[in-house]
Amino acid sequence: MITRLLQDTEQDFAIAAQLIREGELVAFPTETVYGLGADARREDAVRAIFTAKGRPADNPLIVHISDLSMLDSIAADVPSIALRLAEKFWAGPLTMIFPKRPEIPYVTSGGLETVGIRMPSHPMAQKLISLSGCPIAAPSANRSGLPSPTTAKHVMDDMNGRISAVLDGGQCSVGVESTVVCFDDTQTIHILRPGLVSREDLLPYAKTVYVDKAVFEQTAPDVKVASPGMKYKHYSPKAKILPVDAPDFGTFADYVRQHQKAGVWCLLFDSDPEIDAVPCLHYGDDGIQQAHDLFFRFRELDEQGAETVYVRMPEQSGADLSVYNRLMRAAGFEVIRL
Ligand code: TXA
Ligand code: MG
């Protein structure tokens, strides 16, 4: 199969929407990461997503909409708390889980009775959904287990020859995937996956907002988790990622110097100085910048041939928690504590 690289033109959008209507796979930019899209209502098309990614069949897909009017045809029950969140955070990087309507097949929901729904804010994503005339199921457009793609080139690196087309929208502004929430009751928001919409952002909307423990620790393979995607090792480059929890930069730098050898790299904050002869990349100084850069740097480290990467630890509050979670999962939740 030849994968077409499509641009932001009327002609290319017509092609992309036609492909979706025909049950083909089209990768497209969202504000978070690139998604690998297909008509969410078509079993054959959605099955092809799982094949192209090498994704386990029990890991449900997020369904993307471009207008609130699309919600009622796919979600069976939308609590008022969800409508208040939609008003504030849609279009944007928030996915909400609802009981699904039969229109969404079990292939899409990974066998669950629920469906995750998101309205992306990226104009190219919105345009593709509305021109296609259907809700679009889209996981991140990487091969399963690799870092999510934040440029069309990343998608091509993973998916060339496996999908019909990629719409090129440049680099994604957010850089990590959406916040995924469900509602345990009408007053409780349960964060399954942290993203740019933080616990602190959600607090005014509920009595309780809590973060699932799978965000902080590895779940045993036989344990049932609320969000199936959280049980898989994820987001990892080929290089071994080693987060280092050091009290300050000096302690971090001393540790890296002691362990320096060929293939050792480090991933530093923007404000950190370089460490003598140790090759390094930088990934921002706050959660927003780190989220923007993290997956891009993972892919760069692989291109540079890095084998072991010592990484400065992000914070665990606000949007930073999303970076912490992706880093910990890339590291299999192993941390070097100094
Ligand atoms: O930002 C994003 O969310 C991107 C862009 C493309 O929209 N999409 C994305 O999809 O990250 P994916 O498939 O890579 O991650 C979806 C996550 C998984 O952890 C999955 O288990 C969880 O959402 N999820 C989806 N539907 C669910 C459901 N019904 N119940 C629980 N978790 C669900
Ligand atoms: Mg993914």
Side-chain angles (χ1 to χ4, degrees), residues 260-292:
Q260 183 191 349
K261 59 176 183 198
V264 166
W265 281 65
C266 50
L267 187 55
L268 305 175
F269 299 147
D270 278 350
S271 55
D272 291 337
E274 305 210 346
I275 305 172
D276 304 334
V278 184
C280 68
L281 293 178
H282 291 83
Y283 82 121
D285 276 322
D286 61 39
I288 307 271
Q289 295 169 353
Q290 289 169 353
H292 180 264

Side-chain angles (χ1 to χ4, degrees), residues 53 55 139-140 142 148 177 193 234-235:
K53 277 185 62 89
R55 181 178 176 107
S140 50
N142 51 289
S148 293
E177 308 85 345
R193 180 178 71 182
H234 237 117
Y235 314 122

Side-chain angles (χ1 to χ4, degrees), residues 78-91:
V78 178
S80 57
I81 185 172
L83 289 175
R84 288 194 294 277
L85 292 183
E87 199 169 305
K88 171 73 180 172
F89 299 105
W90 278 2

Side-chain angles (χ1 to χ4, degrees), residues 109-252:
S109 71
L112 300 174
E113 294 298 340
T114 55
V115 59
I117 301 178
R118 169 165 118 79
M119 190 192 294
S121 65
H122 197 296
M124 290 177 73
Q126 292 189 356
K127 190 164 172 178
L128 179 66
I129 300 163
S130 55
L131 278 180
S132 305
C134 62
I136 294 186
S140 50
N142 51 289
R143 290 276 292 160
S144 198
L146 294 179
S148 293
T150 52
T151 66
K153 176 185 178 296
H154 296 164
V155 179
M156 275 295 196
D157 288 346
D158 282 18
M159 291 296 171
N160 196 3
R162 299 177 162 271
I163 62 176
S164 294
V166 182
L167 263 172
D168 189 348
Q171 190 172 356
C172 301
S173 58
V174 175
V176 296
E177 308 85 345
S178 61
T179 306
V180 178
V181 301
C182 63
F183 307 101
D184 292 1
D185 57 53
T186 55
Q187 309 269 20
T188 309
I189 301 174
H190 178 164
I191 299 176
L192 300 173
R193 180 178 71 182
L196 194 69
V197 176
S198 66
R199 173 168 186 273
E200 290 78 353
D201 293 332
L202 295 170
L203 275 173
Y205 297 87
K207 231 182 208 159
T208 314
V209 181
Y210 75 99
V211 182
D212 199 272
K213 80 180 200 315
V215 168
F216 300 99
E217 57 189 64
Q218 185 92 63
T219 43
D222 52 340
V223 169
K224 196 171 182 305
V225 289
S227 180
M230 296 301 273
K231 76 186 175 199
Y232 297 106
K233 183 173 157 116
H234 237 117
Y235 314 122
S236 7
K238 292 185 203 85
K240 185 164 177 56
I241 296 296
L242 294 169
V244 182
D245 192 1
D248 50 47
F249 177 73
T251 316
F252 175 91

Side-chain angles (χ1 to χ4, degrees), residues 95-110:
T95 296
M96 295 189 266
I97 312 279
F98 302 106
K100 75 170 191 68
R101 279 204 189 278
E103 176 138 351
I104 297 298
Y106 286 108
V107 196
T108 303
S109 71

